[in-house]
Amino acid sequence: MKAHVPPFLSVKPALLTTALLATFTMGAAFAQAATEMPSGEHASADVDITQPIKAIDKLESLKNEQKLSLSIPKFQHFTTSNGVPVIFVQTKQLPIVDVDLRFNAGSARDESIRKQGFGLASMVADLLTKGTRDLDETAFAEATEQLGIELSSAAYKDQFVVNLRSLSDAEHLDPALSLMSSIITQPRFDAQVLERSKAQQVLALKQMMQNPSYLASTTFSQTLYGSHPYAHSPYGTQQSIPALTRNDLQKFHDTYFVAQNATLSLTGDLSLSQAKQAAEAITQALPQGKPAPKLPNPTPIKQSKWVHVDYDSDQTSVMIGQQGYRIDPSAKGIQRGTDFSIGNEVLAGSGFSSRLMGKVRKELGYTYGIYGSMTPMQAPGPYTIRFSTRNEKADEAIAATLQTVNDTLKQGITAQEFKLTQESLINSYPMGFASNAGINGMLGVLNFNKLPDSYITDYINRVEGARIDQVNTALRDTLTPDKFIIVTVGKPDIAKKSQLQKLK
Amino acid sequence: MKAHVPPFLSVKPALLTTALLATFTMGAAFAQAATEMPSGEHASADVDITQPIKAIDKLESLKNEQKLSLSIPKFQHFTTSNGVPVIFVQTKQLPIVDVDLRFNAGSARDESIRKQGFGLASMVADLLTKGTRDLDETAFAEATEQLGIELSSAAYKDQFVVNLRSLSDAEHLDPALSLMSSIITQPRFDAQVLERSKAQQVLALKQMMQNPSYLASTTFSQTLYGSHPYAHSPYGTQQSIPALTRNDLQKFHDTYFVAQNATLSLTGDLSLSQAKQAAEAITQALPQGKPAPKLPNPTPIKQSKWVHVDYDSDQTSVMIGQQGYRIDPSAKGIQRGTDFSIGNEVLAGSGFSSRLMGKVRKELGYTYGIYGSMTPMQAPGPYTIRFSTRNEKADEAIAATLQTVNDTLKQGITAQEFKLTQESLINSYPMGFASNAGINGMLGVLNFNKLPDSYITDYINRVEGARIDQVNTALRDTLTPDKFIIVTVGKPDIAKKSQLQKLK
C-alpha cells in the first residue's frame, strides 16, 4: 500500500506534466495537502440574471432539441492466438497507448487459495509491481522510470486489473510491453518485500479501523453477505495478512493469471495490426489455464437488521442497503439497468434535486449529502445509501430515508423528474469520452463483463427510449426497503436509546 | 464543504458515464468505499524475462533515440473587450468545451477583507455554486442538472478557480455560459445557506484537526510563514469561520471578481470566433476593477527550527522544508525551474530510485515513501519533504533525510542519475495531454501566471538541453537545509527524548 501523497507532491516521472503544472495550479493549496478536502468544490450552475428570460427559454427549449451528435469511437474486436478477447480503439491525437488487462480474480477468490486468507489478492497486486524473476525491486523501478511508463495493478472484489500507459512508438512500447508481460507471467514475489508489505498493510488496517467510513463499509459487507466471498474487505484483516505466504501469492497467480481468465483492452495511437502485435506481446506467455469458477449466490436477506458500531464522534455514519443485482449482458438486462439507474437518479442520485436530498438534506437539514447507488457485480452486488448526521438525529434521518424510499416506490417518480433526469443523463454522457484513460476504462469494463458494444454506443437511445412506467417497475422490482440492512457507526449512548433496537 | 463520497457512489449527472462504468469497474471494490485506499496500486515495471537481452538492449538503445514526436496543440491568444486575457485550444473529437476562469484571489486575500477572516475565500467558493440573485439553491441546481454541465469553484492560497464543462453546441453552451456568468457577477450568498455552510465547515475542521497530515501541514505553514498570508489554511479555523458574514463574502467578491484580476482559458470543439463569443459571454458583465495588489514577501527563515505536535499514534508524520521560489516567467526563471525539477527528481522525486527513497526507505527501512517538492507561487512558495515513520525511528529518519540532502548538495547528482531522469521526464511528458481537462488546466496555469507558451511547448527541449552542472547549481542555490523547518506530529514521550530538542 502506498502512503497517501497529494497528487501535486507525487512527482512520478510518468505524471510529470501534470505535476509540473499542478505545482502552479494547486500551488496555492499546499497547506491543503494530504487528506484535506478541496476548498469549496461544488457542482451546480445558474441562469444569467442579466438575461433571465432568454436563458430560461433556452433551458425550456432543450426539451425539443435535436439529437445529440456524438461520434463514439469505433470498437474493434479480435482474439489473441491463445484466446484472450481484445477490444481496441484507435486514437491518433497523442503518441501514447493505454492498456487494460483484467483477470477474473479479486478478493472474492482469496479463500480459494487459503482459508481465511483475506487480503491475498490485494497483496498480489502490491507485489506484482515490485520486481520480476530477473529484476529486483530497484532494477525494475529504474526500467519503468527510464521508459516513463505507468504500470500499476489493483485488486477489487471481483476483478484484478493491470494497467499500462506508454509512448506508442515501437522503441518505447516494445520494452514496456515486455515489462508488462513479465510482471504477469514471472512476478518476483520477493520474500523480503512481502514481509515489508505485510507489515505496512497491517499498519494501514490499524489506521483504517479508526475510520468510521471504513468501519461502516466492512460491517455492512459482513452483514449483507455473511459467508459469501463478498463479505470480506479486499484489504484483509490484521489477523489474516500476517498469515499469508509467498506460496499463497504464487498459487493465486498460477491459478488466475491465465489466458482463459483474461480480457484485454487497448486505446491509443496504433494501427489494428500494431494493436494485434501488442496484444500478443502481452498475453503470449500466459498459460491457457481455466476460467475462474462462477461465484456462488449470496444467501438472500430475509428481514431488516440493524448493526451498530461504537465510535466516539459527534457524527454517526450510516449505510443502508440490500443485495442488488448481478451484471446481465442481455438486452433486457441492460435496459433494466438503464431504467433502474434513471429511477435511482431521481430517488438517490447525487444531483441536488434527488428525493433523498430534498427530504433529508433540504427539508430536514439532517445531513449535507445523501446518495444511493447500485453496484452490479458477477454475483448480486450491493445497493447502498450512505450519509452521515449528528448522533442525535441519526434515528430520525434513517426513518426519513426509509419513508422516502417507500413513498417513491409507492407513488413512482413524476413525469417532470423523469424528463429532467433523462436530459441530464444524456447531456452529461459525452464527458465520459474526454480522456484516453476514460475510454480505455470503458473498454475494460465492457470486455470483462462480456457486454455488447451497444452497452456504450446505445446508451443515449436507451435513456431516450425509456418509459416512466418501466422505470418505476425497475425501482419496485429491485428495492426492498423492508429487508434493508442498516449499519450505524457512532456514539454508544445514542444507539442504546435508538428506535432501531427492535431490528437488532 | 462536501461530504466525502467515493467517485463510484457520487452519481452526479455530469459524471454519469464515469459512474455508470465505474459501477462495474470499481464494483468489486464497494467495501473499499470512502476513505479506504485502493488495494495495491503501484507503478513500476520490468523487462520480460523471456527475452531479457533484447528488452534490456531496447532500454539501452533509448539513449540514442530520435526525438520524441509530439504535436502540442496550438495555443490561440486573444483578449476580451473588457481586457481579460484568453488562451484557447481547439479540439474536435468531442462536442464539449472546458472553461477555466481564474481570479488572483485565494485565501491569501482573506485578511484584506476581514481581520482574521481566515476561510473567507473558501466560503465564497462554497456559496458561489449555491444560487444566483434570481435563482435559489434548488432552481439553480435543477438548471445545472438539466444541462448536464459541471460547474465548480475552488479557492487555493493564491488563486480562485471557476470551472465549467458543457456540451459545445449553442443550444447547450449558451445557457451554460449564462449560468457561469451569473454566478461570478450575481452570486446569491444566501444567508441561510451561509449559516449551514459555516456549521459544516466548523464540523469538518473539527475532524481535520484529528488528522495528523492536516496538523502537520497547518503547523508547517504557520511556522514557515509567520505573519504572511500563506501562513493560514484556506479552510480557516473553528474560530474564524463563525465570524464570517454575508457582507464579507460580498466584499471579497466585489473586490476580486473583476476583469482586471481575471484570466480565462478554453479548450474544446469551438471555432476561434465561437471561442471569442464564449469568452465575451462569460466576462462581459464583469466590472473593470483593479488587479489584486502584489503579495508581500514572507520574512526569511534565519535558522532551523523544530515544532512538535502531540498526537497519539504509532506513526510520526514529518514535514521538513523551507521557503522556496516564486513563479518567474522569464526565460531564465523557467530554465532554472526545469533545472531544479530535474535535480529534485533525483533527490526527492516520487520515483523509486530517488536518493531519499534509496536511503530512508530502501537502505534504512524507516518509511514506505518519502517525497520532496517545490511549489512555486506568487510569493515564494514552500519546498516540502514529507514522510511518516514509526515514532521510535523519527529522529533517525529525519537525520538521514537531512544527511541525504546535504550529501546531494555537496556531491551533486551523478551523470547516470541525470540521464535517467532526463529520459524519464521526456518520455512521460506526452501523458499530460491525454485529456481535455488536462490540456485546459495547463492553459489556466499558463494564463494565470503570465507564462509564455514556450513554458509548455519547449519543455522537452529544456530538459534535453539541461546541463548537469546547472542542475547541481540550481539545487545548491535553492535548498538551504541548515535553515529547514522541521514539523513532527506524533507521540509526546518520544518527542521529549528527541535530538531535535536543541532546535526548539
Side-chain angles (χ1 to χ4, degrees):
Chain A
M1 313 190 74
K2 211 161 195 170
H4 179 76
V5 181
F8 56 93
L9 289 180
S10 173
V11 193
K12 257 187 219 173
L15 293 173
L16 180 88
T17 309
T18 324
L20 175 94
L21 292 158
T23 293
F24 289 120
T25 316
M26 307 296 288
F30 99 97
Q32 288 147 268
T35 52
E36 286 186 48
M37 285 169 276
S39 183
E41 293 225 19
H42 300 274
S44 42
D46 199 354
V47 173
D48 184 346
I49 56 87
T50 61
Q51 32 181 288
I53 294 160
K54 185 177 154 220
I56 286 168
D57 271 358
K58 273 185 193 151
L59 281 172
E60 293 294 320
S61 78
L62 286 177
K63 288 171 191 163
N64 307 313
E65 73 183 296
Q66 61 190 40
K67 209 158 161 179
L68 182 71
S69 79
L70 167 67
S71 55
I72 291 178
K74 188 179 159 200
F75 300 172
Q76 304 191 68
H77 295 259
F78 58 89
T79 304
T80 64
S81 57
N82 61 358
V84 177
V86 186
I87 307 184
F88 165 58
V89 162
Q90 186 180 37
T91 59
K92 294 189 164 185
Q93 291 73 50
L94 291 169
I96 65 171
V97 178
D98 282 285
V99 181
D100 180 298
L101 177 67
R102 293 182 191 227
F103 296 107
N104 187 344
S107 66
R109 310 293 175 178
D110 286 351
E111 284 206 276
S112 72
I113 305 297
R114 169 187 279 270
K115 196 157 187 289
Q116 308 233 303
F118 310 127
L120 177 54
S122 152
M123 204 50 61
V124 171
D126 198 1
L127 272 282
L128 207 63
T129 49
K130 295 203 169 74
T132 65
R133 198 179 57 186
D134 288 0
L135 295 178
D136 71 9
E137 199 179 10
T138 304
F140 176 78
E142 279 174 3
T144 319
E145 285 167 28
Q146 187 181 356
L147 284 166
I149 62 179
E150 293 171 49
L151 188 47
S152 63
S153 59
Y156 304 103
K157 285 200 174 179
D158 257 0
Q159 300 175 36
F160 195 104
V161 187
V162 185
N163 283 118
L164 168 70
R165 170 171 277 194
S166 167
L167 290 171
S168 56
D169 62 304
E171 204 172 2
H172 292 90
L173 186 61
D174 289 353
L177 295 175
S178 288
L179 289 170
M180 180 163 181
S181 170
S182 62
I183 68 168
I184 57 171
T185 54
Q186 302 288 351
R188 191 172 189 90
F189 295 145
D190 185 276
Q192 258 193 303
V193 175
L194 176 60
E195 287 314 306
R196 187 188 68 209
S197 280
K198 283 161 61 175
Q200 283 156 358
Q201 182 92 332
V202 168
L203 178 67
L205 283 163
K206 234 186 233 180
Q207 291 170 344
M208 280 148 73
M209 294 305 285
Q210 290 166 26
N211 179 319
S213 296
Y214 182 74
L215 289 173
S217 280
T218 50
T219 307
F220 184 79
S221 290
Q222 282 155 12
T223 312
L224 196 62
Y225 285 108
S227 59
H228 189 272
Y230 288 169
H232 73 271
S233 157
Y235 294 110
T237 67
Q238 294 177 61
Q239 292 71 46
S240 70
I241 295 292
L244 299 175
T245 67
R246 189 188 180 286
N247 194 41
D248 294 332
L249 272 65
Q250 192 66 52
K251 200 170 156 202
F252 186 96
H253 168 271
D254 296 347
T255 309
Y256 296 113
F257 284 29
V258 295
Q260 290 282 313
N261 205 37
T263 51
L264 181 66
S265 308
L266 302 166
T267 299
D269 187 19
L270 299 173
S271 66
L272 179 59
S273 94
Q274 287 170 326
K276 285 181 177 171
Q277 283 170 35
E280 288 299 328
I282 295 164
T283 59
Q284 66 194 356
L286 283 178
Q288 271 298 303
K290 281 184 290 190
K294 212 171 159 239
L295 289 170
N297 273 327
T299 309
I301 300 293
K302 293 274 169 44
Q303 58 183 42
S304 211
K305 192 177 173 189
W306 171 55
V307 181
H308 178 78
V309 180
D310 287 346
Y311 187 80
D312 186 25
S313 161
D314 294 343
Q315 296 274 307
T316 296
S317 291
V318 180
M319 280 185 77
I320 300 176
Q322 63 169 81
Q323 291 168 12
Y325 49 74
R326 64 174 77 237
I327 290 161
D328 178 352
S330 72
K332 207 177 137 190
I334 291 172
Q335 183 65 49
R336 189 194 52 171
T338 303
D339 289 343
F340 179 80
S341 74
I342 296 171
N344 186 60
E345 188 64 23
V346 173
L347 168 64
S350 74
F352 193 71
S353 49
S354 84
R355 289 197 173 190
L356 283 175
M357 284 286 261
K359 186 71 185 179
V360 186
R361 173 185 159 146
K362 281 186 279 191
E363 189 182 322
L364 301 172
Y366 289 158
T367 186
Y368 180 69
I370 176 166
Y371 315 96
S373 66
M374 174 68 78
T375 307
M377 291 165 68
Q378 294 184 66
Y383 177 81
T384 319
I385 298 170
R386 277 173 176 265
F387 62 93
S388 65
T389 184
R390 278 184 297 141
N391 287 315
E392 313 81 70
K393 296 299 177 189
D395 253 30
E396 292 160 54
I398 291 166
T401 300
L402 296 174
Q403 189 63 51
T404 304
V405 176
N406 278 312
D407 289 351
T408 304
L409 296 183
K410 200 170 153 193
Q411 299 150 6
I413 66 169
T414 68
Q416 203 202 337
E417 288 170 325
F418 178 59
K419 192 175 272 298
L420 177 64
T421 300
Q422 277 180 309
E423 282 175 20
S424 137
L425 296 180
I426 291 168
N427 287 331
S428 60
Y429 192 60
M431 320 300 185
F433 298 87
S435 76
N436 286 23
I439 293 171
N440 206 46
M442 287 188 200
L443 300 185
V445 165
L446 208 68
N447 208 355
F448 182 85
N449 294 298
K450 300 183 175 45
L451 291 158
D453 292 356
S454 63
Y455 178 76
I456 290 172
T457 56
D458 279 357
Y459 175 77
I460 289 178
N461 289 335
R462 286 201 303 282
V463 173
E464 273 179 344
R467 284 171 36 194
I468 189 169
D469 57 330
Q470 287 171 343
V471 168
N472 283 321
T473 302
L475 279 180
R476 279 182 206 120
D477 288 353
T478 307
L479 298 181
T480 53
D482 57 326
K483 294 177 193 159
F484 275 175
I485 298 294
I486 301 169
V487 170
T488 51
V489 177
K491 281 240 168 97
D493 54 330
I494 304 281
K496 274 180 200 127
K497 289 176 274 175
S498 170
Q499 294 295 317
L500 295 166
Q501 288 287 354
K502 61 179 187 278
L503 295 179
K504 227 172 175 176
Chain B
M1 311 192 75
K2 211 159 197 172
H4 179 79
V5 181
F8 56 93
L9 289 179
S10 173
V11 193
K12 256 187 221 176
L15 293 173
L16 181 88
T17 309
T18 324
L20 175 95
L21 291 160
T23 294
F24 289 121
T25 316
M26 308 295 288
F30 98 98
Q32 288 148 269
T35 52
E36 287 185 50
M37 284 169 276
S39 183
E41 295 224 19
H42 301 273
S44 40
D46 199 354
V47 174
D48 184 346
I49 55 90
T50 62
Q51 30 184 289
I53 294 160
K54 186 177 154 218
I56 286 168
D57 271 357
K58 274 185 192 152
L59 282 172
E60 293 295 321
S61 78
L62 286 176
K63 288 171 193 166
N64 308 313
E65 73 183 297
Q66 60 191 41
K67 211 160 160 177
L68 183 71
S69 79
L70 167 67
S71 54
I72 291 178
K74 189 179 158 201
F75 301 173
Q76 304 191 68
H77 295 259
F78 58 90
T79 305
T80 65
S81 56
N82 60 0
V84 177
V86 186
I87 306 183
F88 165 58
V89 162
Q90 185 179 37
T91 60
K92 294 189 163 183
Q93 291 74 49
L94 290 169
I96 64 172
V97 178
D98 282 285
V99 181
D100 180 296
L101 177 67
R102 294 181 190 227
F103 296 107
N104 188 344
S107 66
R109 312 292 175 175
D110 286 350
E111 284 206 277
S112 72
I113 305 298
R114 168 187 280 272
K115 197 159 186 287
Q116 308 233 302
F118 310 127
L120 176 54
S122 152
M123 204 50 62
V124 171
D126 197 1
L127 272 281
L128 207 63
T129 51
K130 296 204 167 71
T132 64
R133 196 179 61 185
D134 287 2
L135 296 177
D136 70 9
E137 198 178 10
T138 304
F140 176 77
E142 279 173 4
T144 319
E145 286 168 26
Q146 187 182 354
L147 284 167
I149 61 181
E150 293 172 49
L151 189 47
S152 63
S153 59
Y156 304 102
K157 285 200 174 180
D158 257 0
Q159 302 177 34
F160 195 104
V161 187
V162 184
N163 283 118
L164 168 70
R165 169 171 279 192
S166 167
L167 291 170
S168 56
D169 60 306
E171 203 171 3
H172 291 90
L173 185 60
D174 289 354
L177 296 175
S178 288
L179 289 170
M180 180 163 181
S181 169
S182 62
I183 68 168
I184 56 169
T185 54
Q186 302 287 351
R188 192 174 189 89
F189 295 145
D190 186 275
Q192 259 194 302
V193 175
L194 176 60
E195 288 313 306
R196 188 188 66 208
S197 280
K198 282 161 61 176
Q200 283 156 358
Q201 182 91 334
V202 169
L203 179 67
L205 283 163
K206 234 186 234 181
Q207 292 170 344
M208 280 147 73
M209 294 306 285
Q210 290 166 26
N211 180 319
S213 296
Y214 182 74
L215 288 173
S217 281
T218 51
T219 307
F220 184 78
S221 290
Q222 282 156 13
T223 312
L224 196 61
Y225 285 107
S227 60
H228 189 271
Y230 288 169
H232 72 272
S233 157
Y235 293 111
T237 67
Q238 294 177 61
Q239 292 70 47
S240 69
I241 295 291
L244 299 174
T245 67
R246 188 188 180 286
N247 194 42
D248 295 332
L249 273 66
Q250 191 68 50
K251 201 172 155 202
F252 186 96
H253 168 271
D254 296 348
T255 308
Y256 296 112
F257 285 30
V258 296
Q260 289 282 314
N261 204 38
T263 52
L264 180 66
S265 308
L266 303 166
T267 298
D269 188 19
L270 299 173
S271 66
L272 179 59
S273 94
Q274 286 170 326
K276 286 181 176 172
Q277 284 170 34
E280 289 298 329
I282 294 164
T283 59
Q284 65 192 357
L286 283 178
Q288 271 298 303
K290 282 184 290 191
K294 212 172 159 235
L295 289 170
N297 273 327
T299 309
I301 299 293
K302 294 273 172 42
Q303 58 182 43
S304 211
K305 193 180 172 188
W306 170 55
V307 181
H308 177 79
V309 181
D310 287 346
Y311 187 80
D312 186 24
S313 161
D314 294 344
Q315 296 274 308
T316 296
S317 292
V318 181
M319 280 184 78
I320 300 177
Q322 64 170 79
Q323 292 169 11
Y325 49 75
R326 65 175 75 237
I327 291 162
D328 178 352
S330 73
K332 207 177 136 191
I334 291 172
Q335 183 65 51
R336 189 196 48 174
T338 303
D339 289 343
F340 179 79
S341 75
I342 295 171
N344 186 60
E345 188 65 24
V346 173
L347 169 64
S350 73
F352 192 72
S353 48
S354 84
R355 289 198 174 188
L356 284 175
M357 284 287 261
K359 185 72 185 178
V360 187
R361 175 187 158 144
K362 281 186 280 191
E363 188 183 323
L364 301 172
Y366 289 158
T367 186
Y368 180 69
I370 176 165
Y371 315 97
S373 66
M374 175 66 79
T375 308
M377 291 164 69
Q378 293 184 67
Y383 177 80
T384 320
I385 297 171
R386 277 173 177 265
F387 64 92
S388 65
T389 185
R390 277 185 299 141
N391 287 315
E392 313 83 71
K393 296 299 178 191
D395 254 28
E396 292 159 56
I398 290 166
T401 300
L402 295 174
Q403 189 63 53
T404 304
V405 176
N406 278 314
D407 289 350
T408 304
L409 295 184
K410 199 170 154 194
Q411 301 150 4
I413 66 170
T414 68
Q416 202 201 338
E417 288 171 325
F418 178 58
K419 193 175 269 300
L420 176 65
T421 300
Q422 277 180 310
E423 281 174 20
S424 137
L425 295 180
I426 291 168
N427 287 331
S428 60
Y429 192 60
M431 320 301 184
F433 298 86
S435 76
N436 287 24
I439 294 170
N440 206 46
M442 288 188 201
L443 301 185
V445 165
L446 208 68
N447 208 355
F448 182 85
N449 294 298
K450 299 184 178 39
L451 290 159
D453 292 357
S454 62
Y455 178 76
I456 290 173
T457 55
D458 279 358
Y459 175 77
I460 289 179
N461 288 335
R462 285 201 303 281
V463 174
E464 274 178 344
R467 282 174 35 195
I468 190 168
D469 58 331
Q470 287 171 344
V471 167
N472 283 322
T473 303
L475 279 180
R476 278 181 208 121
D477 287 353
T478 309
L479 298 182
T480 54
D482 57 326
K483 294 176 193 161
F484 275 177
I485 297 294
I486 300 169
V487 171
T488 51
V489 178
K491 283 239 168 100
D493 53 330
I494 304 281
K496 273 179 204 131
K497 289 176 272 173
S498 171
Q499 295 295 319
L500 296 165
Q501 288 288 353
K502 60 178 188 277
L503 296 179
K504 230 175 173 173

